[in-house]
Amino acid sequence: DTEVTQTPKHLVMGMTNKKSLKCEQHMGHRAMYWYKQKAKKPPELMFVYSYEKLSINESVPSRFSPECPNSSLLNLHLHALQPEDSALYLCASSLGTSGTRHFGPGTRLTVL
Amino acid sequence: AQKVTQAQTEISVVEKEDVTLDCVYETRDTTYYLFWYKQPPSGELVFLIRRNSFDEQNEISGRYSWNFQKSTSSFNFTITASQVVDSAVYFCALSEDTNAGKSTFGDGTTLTVKP
């Protein structure tokens, strides 16, 4: 299996909702990432997990809460989001933190 | 601090033309990695190439070729005989060995190939 999968593909939520984004890879990669991408902009790094431990948090607001239950799974829990949080959320994985990021197809999030 | 500059915001060519996408980077590290990714309208970022700082050999893969020049801190990407399917946003990215985990992306170049 050489891909990163993400669910759901699309998500619409209200500002009071709680939802989760899921990411999975079975390539034996030990680093996993969450990126946020706004239209016509490059991906912005949010979080990095290395060996299932959070190693980088790029000063992301606490309404975004990452979780890495095991080496293959990465979640992003969302709560009390703002309309400006609407974006494409990309998950990626790599063998190590210097390795090539393999990206999932993304979840397109709309916050109403 | 690491920085990647893709000066060309948008490029438009006609099918079968050759096109070069420029990438200039800044880093203080001696060990670093450079990447090119393609993002078609569907949204998924597709990995194209990875080059480490000690390997200045140019690479060709089909219609794609990359020219890495440390002397000018550039890692340019050429598509030969472009096709409509090449239309996408192309990102150049840099990872420093001492800053592992933090890739810096350029702002991207939107390539439109017209039939």
Side-chain angles (χ1 to χ4, degrees):
Chain A
D1 193 349
T2 58
E3 63 173 4
V4 177
T5 58
Q6 288 187 245
T7 54
K9 281 188 130 175
H10 301 274
L11 178 63
V12 179
M13 59 187 291
M15 289 191 284
T16 58
N17 291 159
K18 280 186 181 181
K19 296 286 184 185
S20 296
L21 309 185
K22 295 185 184 305
C23 173
E24 191 166 1
Q25 58 88 15
H26 294 287
M27 294 179 277
H29 289 174
R30 302 318 298 262
M32 295 187 77
Y33 312 79
W34 281 114
Y35 288 84
K36 172 183 177 181
Q37 187 179 24
K38 300 284 261 186
K40 298 190 181 299
K41 294 290 185 184
E44 293 175 36
L45 183 65
M46 299 174 72
F47 302 104
V48 180
Y49 273 83
S50 180
Y51 289 87
E52 299 161 50
K53 292 195 183 329
L54 183 65
S55 61
I56 296 176
N57 175 343
E58 290 285 76
S59 302
V60 179
S62 60
R63 57 186 184 268
F64 295 92
S65 174
E67 179 198 17
C68 189
N70 60 56
S71 60
S72 299
L73 290 174
L74 186 65
N75 298 323
L76 187 62
H77 303 297
L78 314 172
H79 174 53
L81 294 194
Q82 305 295 310
E84 59 265 29
D85 296 321
S86 298
L88 180 67
Y89 287 84
L90 292 160
C91 173
S93 69
S94 61
L95 202 56
T97 49
S98 294
T100 301
R101 276 86 166 123
H102 294 263
F103 285 85
T107 294
R108 201 163 290 279
L109 174 68
T110 303
V111 182
L112 301 175
Chain B
Q2 52 186 2
K3 185 178 177 183
V4 176
T5 302
Q6 294 180 254
Q8 304 147 308
T9 307
E10 295 183 11
I11 299 176
S12 182
V13 299
V14 176
E15 213 171 15
K16 296 185 184 173
E17 280 186 34
D18 298 348
V19 57
T20 295
L21 310 183
D22 297 334
C23 173
V24 174
Y25 62 92
E26 292 177 30
T27 177
R28 291 180 186 160
D29 275 26
T30 53
T31 303
Y32 53 90
Y33 308 89
L34 294 162
F35 305 84
W36 276 95
Y37 289 90
K38 173 183 179 180
Q39 189 171 40
S42 59
E44 186 166 354
L45 273 159
V46 177
F47 164 73
L48 296 177
I49 190 170
R50 175 180 191 244
R51 178 63 79 228
N52 75 50
S53 52
F54 298 108
D55 182 4
E56 283 193 76
Q57 202 168 15
N58 292 329
E59 178 148 342
I60 298 174
S61 176
R63 295 183 298 107
Y64 294 171
S65 62
W66 291 269
N67 182 4
F68 176 28
Q69 292 200 331
K70 284 177 79 170
S71 60
T72 54
S73 296
S74 65
F75 187 42
N76 297 338
F77 172 32
T78 297
I79 301 174
T80 303
S82 59
Q83 298 177 1
V84 172
V85 293
D86 296 326
S87 296
V89 182
Y90 290 86
F91 291 101
C92 181
L94 166 69
S95 277
E96 294 172 333
D97 211 33
T98 55
N99 216 0
K102 292 192 180 190
S103 270
T104 296
F105 283 79
D107 285 341
T109 296
T110 300
L111 174 65
T112 303
V113 181
K114 298 178 182 175

